[in-house]
Amino acid sequence: MDCVFCKIASGEIKGTVVHKTERLVVIKDINPQAPVHLLVIPKKHYSTLLDCADKELLGEMLLVAAKAAKEAGVDESGFRAVVNTNEDGGQTVFHLHMHILGKRPLNGKMG
Ligand code: 5GP
Ligand code: ZN
C-alpha cells in the first residue's frame, strides 16, 4: 500500500523516530506546528480512528503519548493530544495517528 506512515513505521522511509514499542512508533512531524510536535503512529494500517476497534492499541496510543510528552519535557508545561479525522477534522494522512503538540501556549479555540 502506498502509505507514507506505513513506510515510516516499517523503516522503508526515514522518519525521526523518538520512541518505539512493539506496535507503535513516535516520530517528529516533518512540518511542526509547535516546538514539540510528535506523531504517535500504529505500525498497523488503519485509515482513520473510525476504522480501529482495537481497544488495547487505542489505549496504548494515549499511554505512549503521555510517555513521549514526558520525554519531550512538556509534561509540566502541558500539551495537547489530537486525532484529526476525515475532512472537517483536517486529516491529510489517512493512516491513524495522534498529534502531540507543546512547548507553546495552545491558546483558545479547539478548531
Ligand atoms: P493530519 O493532518 O493527517 O492530522 O496530520 C498529518 C501530519 O503528518 C501533518 O502534520 C504532516 O506535517 C505530517 N507528515 C506528512 N508527511 C510526513 C512525513 O513524510 N514525515 C513526517 N515526519 N511527517 C509527515
Ligand atoms: Zn498506512
Side-chain angles (χ1 to χ4, degrees):
M1 191 188 305
D2 195 25
C3 168
V4 65
F5 287 175
C6 279
K7 287 178 181 166
I8 289 174
S10 72
E12 188 184 331
I13 61 172
K14 246 187 106 179
T16 320
V17 177
V18 297
H19 196 98
K20 231 183 205 176
T21 72
E22 207 181 308
R23 303 210 288 170
L24 299 171
V25 293
V26 183
I27 65 170
K28 292 188 179 175
D29 197 290
I30 205 169
N31 180 26
Q33 303 300 307
V36 169
H37 189 170
L38 304 175
L39 302 170
V40 180
I41 303 174
K43 291 181 183 172
K44 187 169 175 193
H45 182 92
Y46 299 95
S47 297
T48 79
L49 178 62
L50 299 163
D51 302 297
C52 182
D54 187 335
K55 289 180 192 170
E56 262 193 32
L57 179 70
L58 293 169
E60 193 188 345
M61 285 178 74
L62 279 167
L63 290 170
V64 166
K67 205 169 196 177
K70 264 185 212 158
E71 285 170 6
V74 293
D75 48 329
E76 289 200 1
S77 53
F79 62 95
R80 194 169 281 170
V82 176
V83 180
N84 296 326
T85 304
N86 280 339
E87 192 178 345
D88 283 354
Q91 186 173 3
T92 59
V93 175
F94 284 81
H95 177 129
L96 174 63
H97 57 280
M98 183 182 291
H99 296 257
I100 304 165
L101 298 149
K103 271 231 154 86
R104 71 166 170 83
L106 299 157
N107 285 328
K109 306 172 285 183
M110 287 297 290

